[in-house]
Amino acid sequence: MSEAPNLYEEVLSARGREPLPAARPPRGSAAIILWRRTADGQLQIYWVRRSDRVRFMPGWHAFIGGSVSRADREVPVFGEPRDLAAQVALDSLPPGQRAEASSDEGLVACALRELFEEVGLLVARGPIPTSDVLDPMREAMLEEPADFADFLRRRKLQLDASRLTFAGRWLTPPLAPLRFDTRFYLLHWLTSETRQPDVWPGELDHGEWISPGEAQERWLHSLVMAAPPIVHTLSVLAREGPEAGLPALQRPIEAELGPFRRVEFRPGIRMFPLPTATLPP
């Protein structure tokens, strides 16, 4: 999916502007978009609300996910996400349009680890333990660093990347002091699955299944706060669904516009970052 440059991009291009200097390299991160269909065929996604007590984006709604840790690179993983060719195509865009490079290592393990930590779902190959084994491990991982890789190996488990589908890559603009290079993955979660997502209060304080259209309406009426990648995903899923809308998710407009791009944090309020040596008016 592509979009013709608007006047903002054309002016910058005509002036030969260089990309904004980055404050620091982006951190690799990953997020999972859980989706399902109800008995009457309605599409629902699962999103979470970040606690008011956390330092980064308190009170904002998001999808399950987080930053890659060193330990994620040691976690046993089976297979790879579907449609990785789309990610390769996105990475091969011309300079100024592609995201800055960050390590791909550990991304899938990060996404599936966060899925287990934040909502208690373990997507793995092998004999899945019962709740009396999984819940104490989840609690240990939430309270202090725990060896997830060792837990999986002892239980003869491998995280199952083959259930994920690549659904886009988003890069925090260079103007932000804390930046993330985030890969998004779709995960179809059946209503018949033994375990269902369950948020334990802490970093998150709420999670729910909701139709993308209703979630988008809440944002449009300023009832929730959500970052541009979340808003874009809700819009695509509400309009086209996870199957037909996959190309639009994999090639988000933001990724194609490079560092000079619109940032809409609240409905109708857009920020256009411009480098300037003077104080803002």
Side-chain angles (χ1 to χ4, degrees):
M1 179 178 180
S2 61
E3 180 183 82
N6 63 16
L7 180 61
Y8 176 63
E9 281 79 33
E10 290 176 352
V11 169
L12 289 169
S13 176
R15 294 187 61 190
R17 299 306 301 261
E18 295 296 323
L20 293 171
R24 63 180 64 182
R27 298 176 59 182
S29 61
I32 287 184
I33 308 161
L34 283 177
W35 67 277
R36 71 180 185 184
R37 298 246 179 222
T38 60
D40 59 358
Q42 181 186 35
L43 173 65
Q44 292 183 326
I45 52 95
Y46 194 87
W47 69 349
V48 295
R49 183 184 184 276
R50 296 178 58 80
S51 169
D52 292 324
R53 296 175 294 175
V54 299
R55 295 179 61 184
F56 181 69
M57 302 183 80
W60 288 56
H61 277 69
F63 297 125
I64 299 154
S67 299
V68 176
S69 70
R70 291 182 180 179
D72 288 329
R73 297 173 174 85
E74 306 300 324
V75 174
V77 177
F78 171 85
E80 61 184 23
R82 303 166 192 165
D83 279 359
L84 276 186
Q87 179 175 324
V88 173
L90 186 61
D91 293 345
S92 64
L93 288 172
Q97 288 185 296
R98 64 170 177 256
E100 299 168 46
S102 70
S103 174
D104 292 341
E105 198 175 354
L107 282 168
V108 170
C110 166
L112 294 175
R113 171 183 54 76
E114 291 284 351
L115 181 70
F116 179 59
E117 288 184 8
E118 294 190 349
V119 297
L121 303 183
L122 181 62
V123 177
R125 290 289 183 102
I128 303 295
T130 54
S131 297
D132 60 328
V133 173
L134 292 178
D135 289 348
M137 183 59 191
R138 181 187 177 195
E139 185 175 3
M141 293 171 67
L142 289 171
E143 293 182 354
E144 59 186 34
D147 195 335
F148 190 41
D150 180 65
F151 171 78
L152 293 173
R153 290 192 181 99
R154 284 190 289 106
R155 293 282 170 177
K156 294 181 173 54
L157 295 168
Q158 289 180 298
L159 296 181
D160 189 358
S162 67
R163 286 192 61 179
L164 303 179
T165 301
F166 174 69
R169 181 179 183 183
W170 289 74
L171 182 71
T172 309
L175 60 95
L178 186 61
R179 306 176 65 223
F180 297 94
D181 181 0
T182 307
R183 276 43 162 230
F184 285 79
Y185 301 99
L186 287 167
L187 174 57
H188 186 195
W189 199 256
L190 302 174
T191 57
S192 59
E193 304 266 6
T194 302
R195 289 173 70 93
Q196 293 297 321
D198 178 30
V199 168
W200 290 355
E203 181 180 341
L204 307 176
D205 64 15
H206 179 66
E208 65 177 330
W209 288 104
I210 186 172
S211 73
E214 182 181 345
Q216 186 181 27
E217 283 297 312
R218 290 189 193 177
W219 182 80
L220 288 171
H221 289 87
S222 297
L223 300 177
V224 299
M225 295 182 292
I230 309 303
V231 177
H232 173 78
T233 301
L234 295 176
S235 175
V236 171
L237 292 178
R239 185 177 65 249
E240 302 180 57
E243 297 94 349
L246 189 58
L249 292 175
Q250 292 175 339
R251 290 289 296 268
I253 293 171
E254 292 280 23
E256 296 183 310
L257 295 180
F260 300 105
R261 62 180 186 260
R262 302 179 299 277
V263 180
E264 187 173 14
F265 284 115
R266 301 304 292 266
I269 302 175
R270 296 178 175 87
M271 176 177 67
F272 296 86
L274 288 171
T276 174
T278 64
L279 292 174

